[in-house]
Amino acid sequence: MDTSPGIPGAASTLNAYHWQPGWGWIEAQFQNGALIRLAFADAPSLADPSLPSVIPAPASLRELLDAYFSGRPIAARDALQRLPIRLQGTPFQKRVWAALTEIPYGKTTQYGLLAQRLGSAPRAVGQACKANPVAILVPCHRVLAATGLGGYGGLRSGPAWSRKEALLHLEGAL
């Protein structure tokens, strides 16, 4: 699922972008021009002081997220083709993340159904969703438990969990 260009042996550059599009802070990290992390945050991360602070994110990412948060459907596969993304994880996690991109905007599936399709267990799928480094564009929020929303980011309550519900309402899936 690596859609990014890479130059073997080239020096690595890491850039972080933080902005607040109305849904709270979002942090995007790019390595060598490829998106490696997209996450909601309570505030901009200051974990690495060498990274730039609040600066504009690349236009392609801003356009995708502006469209999404305005309620316009974006297809995950289309987004992944417009924006270079490098997902780092286990082979199983990458299989789950690839399957997540096939869930259409405004639709949901269940952990159990996705696990059955991948020949795995629902809990393993849930753990891969929890480890998803690229929120929204790899739409783990579209996976539900058999008995309700399930978790989000490993939580079953609080602001992060409420965000899952809000994203699904935005998409018209709830």
Side-chain angles (χ1 to χ4, degrees):
M1 172 165 256
D2 185 344
T3 65
S4 65
I7 302 171
S12 177
T13 59
L14 183 66
N15 300 94
Y17 304 91
H18 308 90
W19 76 107
Q20 195 170 14
W23 278 64
W25 285 98
I26 292 181
E27 179 177 275
Q29 290 182 359
F30 286 80
Q31 184 174 37
N32 298 331
L35 181 68
I36 60 169
R37 183 172 185 275
L38 181 66
F40 291 99
D42 292 331
S45 170
L46 301 175
D48 185 345
S50 68
L51 297 177
S53 59
V54 181
I55 58 176
S60 55
L61 179 59
R62 283 195 324 268
E63 290 167 5
L64 285 168
L65 294 179
D66 286 346
Y68 179 83
F69 288 118
S70 295
R72 293 191 307 267
I74 60 167
R77 291 273 181 191
D78 295 341
L80 296 175
Q81 290 176 354
R82 290 180 51 195
L83 186 69
I85 295 178
R86 181 176 298 122
L87 298 177
Q88 298 174 352
T90 68
F92 176 73
Q93 288 172 331
K94 289 180 180 181
R95 282 183 46 223
V96 171
W97 299 337
L100 295 176
T101 66
E102 296 171 5
I103 305 169
Y105 180 97
K107 303 290 182 189
T108 62
T109 191
Q110 294 179 350
Y111 293 103
L113 294 174
L114 191 55
Q116 185 177 31
R117 191 174 125 211
L118 295 172
S120 182
R123 197 166 287 217
V125 169
Q127 290 299 310
C129 288
K130 178 182 175 184
N132 174 16
V134 180
I136 302 168
L137 300 181
V138 177
C140 57
H141 63 278
R142 296 180 186 154
V143 184
L144 309 178
T147 59
L149 282 181
Y152 189 63
L155 302 173
R156 292 185 175 269
S157 64
W161 185 81
S162 296
R163 188 172 291 124
K164 176 177 183 170
E165 186 175 30
L167 292 172
L168 292 171
H169 275 291
L170 174 72
E171 294 184 15
L174 288 183

